[in-house]
Amino acid sequence: MKKLNVPVDWVENSNPVQPGLYFVASRYNTTGFGSYDYLNWDGEKWLKADSIKVVGWVAIGDFLSFIDAGWPMSDDLDKELEESSDKNKEKFKGDEGGFFEVE
C-alpha cells in the first residue's frame, strides 16, 4: 500500500461546538508521544484519559471526504445493496443523496 499525504485543516486552540466523533491529533502528557485518533466530544469535554491532550481536531465528515478507500470485495452485503438499489432505481428518481430504506 502506498503512503498518501492527506491535507488536514486542523482546528487548534478551540473546542468543537457540536457533540460528536472527531479525528484528532493527540499528545500524551506522560511521554510526549503524539498520535492520530478518533475521539468523542460530548458538548463540554473530550471523552478521553486525563493523560491525553488534544492538540488539533477536524470534523470526521471533513476528514473522510479526503479518502476514497473503496470497499472490501468480499462484503456480500454490499453486493446485495447494489442489486437492491438497481432493482428499485425508479422509485428513487431525483434522490441525489443515494440513501434509501430497504424493507
Side-chain angles (χ1 to χ4, degrees):
M1 180 184 300
K2 189 171 94 173
K3 184 176 180 177
L4 296 174
N5 183 19
V6 178
V8 174
D9 189 15
W10 294 106
V11 178
E12 302 176 55
N13 303 313
S14 68
N15 290 319
V17 175
Q18 297 293 322
L21 185 66
Y22 292 84
F23 181 68
V24 300
S26 300
R27 177 83 49 206
Y28 294 86
N29 298 330
T30 54
T31 63
F33 176 73
S35 70
Y36 303 117
D37 207 344
Y38 300 98
L39 286 179
N40 279 303
W41 173 257
D42 72 359
E44 296 180 12
K45 65 185 179 310
W46 293 106
L47 303 181
K48 61 174 186 57
D50 290 338
S51 62
I52 299 172
K53 177 182 178 184
V54 174
V55 294
W57 60 270
V58 64
I60 195 74
D62 294 343
F63 176 71
L64 291 176
S65 70
F66 291 115
I67 300 171
D68 183 4
W71 198 257
M73 296 289 288
S74 63
D75 184 6
D76 290 335
L77 289 178
D78 193 45
K79 292 174 190 164
E80 291 173 18
L81 181 60
E82 188 175 335
E83 289 169 5
S84 178
S85 172
D86 289 343
K87 179 179 154 187
N88 294 297
K89 259 186 190 167
E90 289 300 314
K91 292 181 185 177
F92 303 101
K93 270 195 168 174
D95 178 17
E96 301 305 321
F99 294 98
F100 59 92
E101 189 172 328
V102 178
E103 293 182 26

